[in-house]
Amino acid sequence: MRFAALAIVFGYLFTGCAKQDDANSTRGKFVKSLLSKMTMEEKIGQMTLYTSGWDVTGPVLNENYRKDILAGRCGNIFNAHTVTYNRELQKFAMENTRLKIPLLFGYDVIHGYKTIFPVPLAESCSWDLALIEKSAQLAAKEAASAGLNWTFAPMVDISRDPRWGRVAEGAGEDPYLGSLIAASRTRGFQGASLDDPLTLAACVKHFAAYGAAEGGRDYGTVDMSERSLREVYLPTYHAAVNAGAATVMSSFNEVSGVPATGNRFLLTKILREEWGFKGMVVTDYTSINEMVKHGYAADEKQAGEQAVSAGVDMDMQGAVYQNFLIKSVKEGKIPESVIDQSVVRVLNLKYDLGLFEDPYRYLNNQREKENTLSEEMLAHSLEIGRKSIVLLKNEPFNGVKILPISPEVHKIALIGPLADNRVDMMGTWHAAGDETRVVTVLEGLRKALPQCQINFAAGCETSGENRSGLDEAIRLASGSDLVILALGENYVQSGEAASRSILGLPGVQQEMLEKLSACGKPVAVLLMAGRPLVIRWMANHVPAILNTSHLGTMAGEAIADVLTGKSNPSGKLTMSFPRDEGQIPVYYSMKNTGRPLDPANKYTSKYLDVPNEPLYPFGYGLSYTSFGYSELKLSSDHLSMKDSLLVSVQIKNIGQMAGEEIVQLYIRDLVGSVTRPVKELKGFQKLMLQPGESKEVKFILRADDLRFYTSNMTFAAEPGLFRVMAGTSSMQYLEAGFELK
Ligand code: NOJ
């Protein structure tokens, strides 16, 4: 049983990462002495990050960048990996530059390097913090063994808009769960010590509120109250910073009129002054330059001045610092002390990574060989894959349950563009993921059910209008005992620059689904997408639906284990599934409004054409067994500001199969100096129960767990009445009440 502590997320317990940047420490003296030898050009070089370009077979460095490294004008490279290649670059810097400052090697290791784990949104559905931390730890191990020392992860942007393609990279809609996951991922990447050659420095992104773009359109405008910013969008970044994240990435978007990359309020006041962040801030790709197009800077030179003054230490790919910062210093627009401060942060990071001690620390061919796609990696990919799957629906067809697949089934038609597909199983941002090692659903199922005849047809593609395969798919379906359909998005239909306005199945997949459903055979859908899709028709007509998303290298095996019942699905959604695009944003922690929904009263807050609630809410997910909830008890009917309240609830496995349940605790603050959401997650526990077994689950609530930004923006709990809800999802629970005195 795992217990998610209630107190740590919104608390201001600074457990802190960074060693003190005390000038008298060994690091402080070393860095100071190095700084004193640097020319202004070399200093700005340390504030510059360039990408290694890509050729068909791997990364290659642009000749100009080589010259920049040589001259000390570029001290950091990203998108360069493998021991051989990175050693070549590091050697180049170490043997040819005046000061021999080692290069930093960054990469987007988001959910794996060569071995791919589920996309982060899918993985968050496991609500399993230990396994999530392990994914980050193993991803770091594999990537660091391939010469990397810095990842641009975790992505912790809260989003309540599935039109935004990047929801795939985060942990969904909720700040409480999102914060715990942000901290777990950070700890996983960084381990106990940054100089461990099996770990990576983390980079929390995208600071801030990148997930709140208007209309879900990537890079779009964000405009919100400071209260929402602090209460909903900032806690995840804060949790990662508290967990010790070494670096932070500023985001592309503007926040209430000021681009994040030039936003002193975010990058200095909140991040450094309030949160005590001591690490390094890097921009997102060319986001300094983009401040010109935002209409915030007249030209790139001014944009660079705005960024460095706001608190940006490193310019990713934009060359603005390289091209203009010296001039800005000469003109007296930027004090040299500001440059020094940023350079110190970059050098501190290199020091903490152990690069000054040994620039080749992360460059060991033997280690790379041992840790790439090792048994350990693959076993974890399988385990976390199984746990990330969410059973959305499982109803009988002609009186017979469809899942798990019954031994009576002898002939399966496995259909869909994602059924025998490798690359799309890896999802968005799959780094250097090795496509050849991906297990497809067809392979997984054939291995799991050797006695079954499994016939495959793609039927159609994930996009386009090609219907030529539909007849073959119908023929196979009609002759089978069970139809399994692998439908959804390909890997570029979610992720960066992949916003969508219509969230149904792309291409002709919906048409194929309807045609195959008409064959009169039982149908189970494997829904594979980087975001919640709008699947109203499917939910009404298809008896069984598993949300598998993009599960990575071992996708096919993990899915086969769940289809056959070797593994009982236990995931719960971390992002609500809308019924309709027009409902967006739809999330569980909405406000009540002054006219909450009353179906009998026209003048209440609702749509004429669609219910208010989502199709599948946050926290929802079924199992092959069932769980009964009873005896919700509170240790008292009141709670004082200093005390704690024990909430207990009895859970029983009332089905036929062992299974895991994620018990969720929500509260509602009935009256506040500002209005409060109808529900807020405050705790959860995941437990395994054998058939017939029951357990009491206990949660502790303290006044600190009830804090929010009050009318005068202090973070405090207010006395008054509260509701407590404990249940199986954000919409199905038992309820009790207490008073905070
Ligand atoms: C742009 C993306 O927004 C960011 O997430 C990523 O880390 C950088 N490019 C580097 O690849």
Side-chain angles (χ1 to χ4, degrees):
M1 189 198 304
R2 287 174 205 96
F3 180 71
L6 288 169
I8 58 172
V9 180
F10 299 102
Y12 286 80
L13 307 166
F14 182 72
T15 51
C17 59
K19 295 171 192 166
Q20 288 182 340
D21 54 348
D22 165 17
N24 293 321
S25 66
T26 322
R27 184 185 74 178
K29 286 186 198 148
F30 175 87
V31 167
K32 193 172 166 206
S33 140
L34 182 54
L35 187 72
S36 70
K37 299 184 190 112
M38 294 170 82
T39 63
M40 184 49 76
E41 198 173 37
E42 284 165 338
K43 288 179 183 175
I44 292 166
Q46 290 303 309
M47 297 167 71
T48 296
L49 170 65
Y50 286 140
T51 180
S52 175
W54 286 85
D55 205 341
V56 227
T57 49
V60 278
L61 200 68
N62 163 334
E63 263 321 299
N64 287 334
Y65 295 171
R66 260 181 214 271
K67 287 190 195 130
D68 285 330
I69 295 176
L70 197 61
R73 284 195 304 263
C74 167
N76 314 284
I77 294 290
F78 68 119
N79 288 336
H81 55 97
T82 70
V83 167
T84 308
Y85 181 61
N86 287 10
R87 178 179 287 276
E88 185 198 316
L89 291 182
Q90 193 69 299
K91 240 176 125 200
F92 187 67
M94 296 313 292
E95 291 175 4
N96 298 293
T97 62
R98 194 178 75 89
L99 292 172
K100 306 192 185 328
I101 300 176
L103 295 169
L104 202 59
F105 291 110
Y107 197 40
D108 287 280
V109 181
I110 309 295
H111 54 113
Y113 168 66
K114 286 263 178 200
T115 311
I116 301 301
F117 305 130
V119 291
L121 181 64
E123 188 182 70
S124 70
C125 295
S126 71
W127 298 51
D128 193 323
L129 300 176
L131 283 185
I132 290 172
E133 183 169 333
K134 192 167 172 197
S135 291
Q137 182 231 320
L138 290 178
K141 183 173 177 179
E142 202 183 40
S145 301
L148 293 158
N149 41 43
W150 183 28
T151 176
F152 303 129
M155 185 281 213
V156 304
D157 305 323
I158 292 293
S159 179
R160 295 170 166 186
D161 193 331
R163 289 172 298 185
W164 192 49
R166 301 199 79 170
V167 298
E169 294 172 58
E173 71 184 46
D174 182 60
Y176 173 83
L177 178 62
S179 297
L180 290 170
I181 291 178
S184 301
R185 288 190 171 137
T186 304
R187 282 194 301 268
F189 285 127
Q190 297 196 161
S193 172
L194 280 187
D195 66 2
D196 179 340
L198 297 179
T199 64
L200 299 172
C203 183
V204 191
K205 68 187 192 185
H206 307 80
F207 193 67
Y210 180 40
E214 280 175 2
R217 207 176 66 209
D218 207 2
Y219 319 118
T221 303
V222 174
D223 195 2
M224 66 169 66
S225 69
E226 189 178 335
R227 177 170 288 107
S228 297
L229 181 70
R230 288 185 181 272
E231 217 163 275
V232 178
Y233 291 89
L234 292 186
T236 47
Y237 309 100
H238 192 189
V241 166
N242 279 352
T247 72
V248 169
M249 185 185 292
S250 69
S251 54
F252 287 126
N253 55 288
E254 67 165 73
V255 180
S256 307
V258 181
T261 297
N263 200 314
R264 197 175 159 79
F265 173 69
L266 289 174
L267 297 176
T268 296
K269 168 130 192 335
I270 293 182
L271 183 64
R272 298 200 184 273
E273 293 168 13
E274 292 184 23
W275 298 354
F277 177 67
K278 301 267 192 288
M280 191 266 283
V281 172
V282 62
T283 66
D284 203 342
Y285 204 103
T286 65
S287 65
I288 300 182
N289 319 54
E290 291 167 26
M291 291 204 283
V292 175
K293 290 204 175 136
H294 270 290
Y296 188 67
D299 52 30
E300 290 188 349
K301 176 167 169 288
Q302 189 191 8
E305 290 159 7
Q306 289 167 331
V308 78
S309 308
V312 168
D313 303 311
M314 191 183 283
D315 174 2
M316 183 195 283
Q317 196 58 20
V320 172
Y321 282 2
Q322 190 187 62
N323 290 338
F324 304 106
L325 220 43
I326 292 195
K327 191 154 186 261
S328 302
V329 173
K330 280 195 187 137
E331 288 170 0
K333 295 211 164 106
I334 300 297
E336 196 166 337
S337 60
V338 169
I339 306 292
D340 286 356
Q341 181 175 274
S342 288
V343 177
V344 165
R345 290 178 188 139
V346 176
L347 297 178
N348 281 347
L349 176 63
K350 295 186 176 185
Y351 186 96
D352 291 347
L353 286 164
L355 291 171
F356 287 113
E357 196 184 84
D358 177 8
Y360 302 101
R361 193 177 201 91
Y362 297 82
L363 298 163
N364 177 314
N365 292 93
Q366 184 58 24
R367 209 161 45 217
E368 180 177 38
K369 212 166 148 220
E370 277 167 20
N371 293 331
T372 303
L373 289 154
S374 65
E375 275 309 307
E376 181 187 30
M377 303 289 160
L378 298 174
H380 180 72
S381 175
L382 175 59
E383 185 181 9
I384 187 67
R386 292 181 189 127
K387 303 257 174 176
S388 303
I389 295 173
V390 185
L391 179 62
L392 296 178
K393 188 176 173 192
N394 192 18
E395 300 215 326
F397 177 81
N398 291 341
V400 182
K401 245 197 174 170
I402 296 190
L403 295 179
I405 298 172
S406 124
E408 309 291 304
V409 169
H410 302 294
K411 211 169 165 190
I412 295 176
L414 176 63
I415 294 171
L418 297 164
D420 191 28
N421 174 310
R422 289 181 212 286
V423 70
D424 296 320
M425 293 303 100
M426 298 196 292
T428 183
W429 279 120
H430 54 249
D434 188 342
E435 185 184 336
T436 65
R437 299 296 293 269
V438 172
V439 181
T440 71
V441 180
L442 180 62
E443 289 164 346
L445 210 54
R446 284 201 170 136
K447 188 170 154 210
L449 296 174
Q451 73 288 2
C452 253
Q453 186 185 332
I454 299 169
N455 297 314
F456 159 74
C460 64
E461 287 149 31
T462 43
S463 60
E465 299 289 311
N466 186 350
R467 292 174 171 79
S468 62
L470 293 188
D471 288 345
E472 167 69 354
I474 293 169
R475 192 184 65 76
L476 285 189
S478 308
S480 69
D481 304 331
L482 171 66
V483 182
I484 299 177
L485 283 173
L487 304 175
E489 294 178 328
N490 61 39
Y491 84 92
V492 292
Q493 285 167 334
S494 68
E496 189 178 349
S499 296
R500 294 177 59 206
S501 68
I502 295 171
L503 297 182
L505 293 167
V508 294
Q509 294 181 89
Q510 178 65 28
E511 185 179 326
M512 179 166 82
L513 170 67
E514 292 183 21
K515 289 201 159 123
L516 295 177
S517 297
C519 293
K521 300 290 176 180
V523 175
V525 169
L526 306 171
L527 191 61
M528 300 172 157
R531 53 155 69 80
L533 293 183
V534 169
I535 52 164
R536 236 191 326 176
W537 189 94
M538 188 191 295
N540 284 334
H541 296 87
V542 171
I545 307 170
L546 278 171
N547 187 52
T548 73
S549 188
H550 296 144
L551 292 182
T553 310
M554 299 302 283
E557 213 169 311
I559 290 168
D561 284 350
V562 167
L563 282 171
T564 56
K566 181 171 167 194
S567 175
N568 190 347
S570 60
K572 304 267 191 183
L573 296 178
T574 55
M575 197 169 177
S576 305
F577 268 56
R579 287 173 195 272
D580 208 291
E581 292 83 356
Q583 279 186 316
I584 297 170
V586 60
Y587 51 94
Y588 83 93
S589 58
M590 297 198 114
K591 297 289 185 76
N592 203 39
T593 81
R595 293 185 176 197
L597 170 80
D598 172 2
N601 182 350
K602 175 172 163 64
Y603 295 98
T604 58
S605 184
K606 59 176 186 281
Y607 299 100
L608 293 178
D609 51 359
V610 70
N612 280 6
E613 72 277 0
L615 180 63
Y616 299 118
F618 176 85
Y620 172 85
L622 304 172
S623 163
Y624 292 151
T625 190
S626 319
F627 299 99
Y629 280 68
S630 62
E631 295 172 61
L632 173 64
K633 286 188 211 141
L634 306 188
S635 57
S636 166
D637 61 3
H638 63 270
L639 171 63
S640 81
M641 287 291 177
K642 288 193 196 90
D643 262 355
S644 61
L645 187 72
L646 184 71
V647 181
S648 63
V649 63
Q650 200 70 30
I651 322 294
K652 185 170 185 190
N653 182 340
I654 51 176
Q656 309 302 317
M657 197 170 167
E660 278 184 301
E661 168 69 333
I662 300 167
V663 183
Q664 300 154 45
L665 181 79
Y666 297 89
I667 61 114
R668 176 171 180 188
D669 185 344
L670 289 175
V671 180
S673 61
V674 292
T675 61
R676 306 301 305 143
V678 291
K679 259 164 237 144
E680 293 173 83
L681 183 70
K682 292 293 173 184
F684 61 89
Q685 289 182 46
K686 190 168 177 180
L687 65 157
M688 168 62 94
L689 290 173
Q690 298 302 316
E693 191 185 4
S694 76
K695 274 187 190 155
E696 187 183 40
V697 171
K698 292 180 181 153
F699 297 95
I700 290 171
L701 270 180
R702 295 192 174 81
D704 274 1
D705 303 318
L706 309 174
R707 288 180 295 176
F708 63 96
Y709 288 91
T710 62
S711 55
N712 62 10
M713 289 304 282
T714 51
F715 190 60
E718 291 178 340
L721 295 178
F722 286 78
R723 302 300 292 164
V724 181
M725 294 147 265
T728 187
S729 84
S730 62
M731 275 171 62
Q732 240 189 310
Y733 44 78
L734 300 175
E735 209 175 332
F738 70 90
E739 185 177 358
L740 178 67
K741 288 187 167 167

